[in-house]
Amino acid sequence: MPHPLRVHIESVCKLTDEEFDYIITHFTIVKYKKHHQLIREGDLVKHEYFVLKGCLRSYITDAGTGKEFTYSFAAENWWVSEREAFTRHTPATTTVECLEDCELLALTYENRMKLGREIWKYEHYVSMKTSLGYVALQKRLQLMIMGNTKERFENFVEQYPQLYSRVPKTMIASYLGVSRETISRLYRK
């Protein structure tokens, strides 16, 4: 069975065995338990992570009220980090927490840059996935601005059915910008 990272990269461009063997040497496998905070607000972020197993969420906390606002989720075969902090080497403004026990592939910024310089296929893969991520974010923002609560909820369930059954409804409500009660009401319909 092919390695999940290889499958993910090859959804964009095929690799030789030698290329993948070289790429994977730049990653480190890490495991964390449920509730572990992978990244905390204020941390310097040294890694981005490819999820092999588990589910995580990224959120920001309102300093005045302590209320959490879920920004994104990540499950198997997704990437997760705090992008700005990782890229600009600035303190994180979000927290990334394990919602389940997780097994991840960690990649340092230095190794990310090295792979991009040395293997054009890897750089192409990152570029394509970044562009697709930007498109998904743009669609999400449009739906948050123009869509009603029901449309946002239905889009989430349709787009991420595997998350709907794994993530607490309170966190889904936070992601959608609605109350937990609203999610319960929409779920019953």
Side-chain angles (χ1 to χ4, degrees):
M1 180 176 218
H3 193 284
L5 179 61
R6 183 171 187 165
V7 172
H8 205 259
I9 294 170
E10 288 188 339
S11 70
V12 174
C13 55
K14 298 296 179 203
L15 298 172
T16 66
D17 290 342
E18 294 76 22
E19 287 169 331
F20 181 73
D21 290 345
Y22 182 71
I23 289 168
I24 200 67
T25 64
H26 292 78
F27 288 81
T28 305
I29 293 179
V30 294
K31 296 180 181 183
Y32 297 105
K33 294 286 186 192
K34 182 178 181 177
H35 302 301
H36 175 78
Q37 290 185 336
L38 185 65
I39 298 169
R40 290 179 185 88
E41 189 175 338
D43 284 354
L44 291 178
V45 179
K46 299 181 193 262
H47 298 90
E48 62 182 352
Y49 303 89
F50 182 77
V51 183
L52 294 173
K53 180 183 157 217
C55 186
L56 304 96
R57 84 168 170 135
S58 301
Y59 64 93
I60 56 176
T61 305
D62 182 294
T65 64
K67 184 175 179 182
E68 296 175 356
F69 297 91
T70 300
Y71 176 79
S72 67
F73 297 103
E76 290 81 7
N77 303 315
W78 295 6
W79 286 92
V80 67
S81 189
E82 212 271 35
R83 288 283 151 224
E84 183 176 14
F86 179 72
T87 304
R88 294 186 174 181
H89 313 290
T90 58
T93 58
T94 62
T95 299
V96 178
E97 137 184 68
C98 298
L99 300 179
E100 302 170 348
D101 290 351
C102 292
E103 184 174 331
L104 313 167
L105 289 175
L107 180 67
T108 65
Y109 180 81
E110 294 75 20
N111 280 339
R112 161 62 192 92
M113 293 297 107
K114 181 179 181 221
L115 284 172
R117 284 190 308 272
E118 295 177 356
I119 300 181
W120 71 266
K121 290 178 184 179
Y122 189 81
E123 187 61 30
H124 177 64
Y125 156 75
V126 170
S127 175
M128 288 299 298
K129 289 298 181 177
T130 301
S131 293
L132 292 172
Y134 181 80
V135 169
L137 180 59
Q138 183 177 353
K139 286 183 176 184
R140 177 168 180 236
L141 288 172
Q142 289 171 342
L143 195 57
M144 292 297 284
I145 294 167
M146 301 294 291
N148 63 41
T149 302
K150 185 176 183 214
E151 290 168 332
R152 293 196 310 261
F153 173 76
E154 289 172 349
N155 179 267
F156 180 85
V157 173
E158 180 181 320
Q159 192 169 3
Y160 307 113
Q162 75 284 14
L163 289 180
Y164 189 72
S165 61
R166 292 169 74 177
V167 174
K169 303 308 178 259
T170 303
M171 293 177 189
I172 293 172
S174 170
Y175 178 82
L176 297 175
V178 299
S179 70
R180 170 68 171 91
E181 294 74 25
T182 299
I183 292 292
S184 294
R185 190 175 65 252
L186 289 170
Y187 180 69
R188 284 193 300 266
K189 290 183 179 180

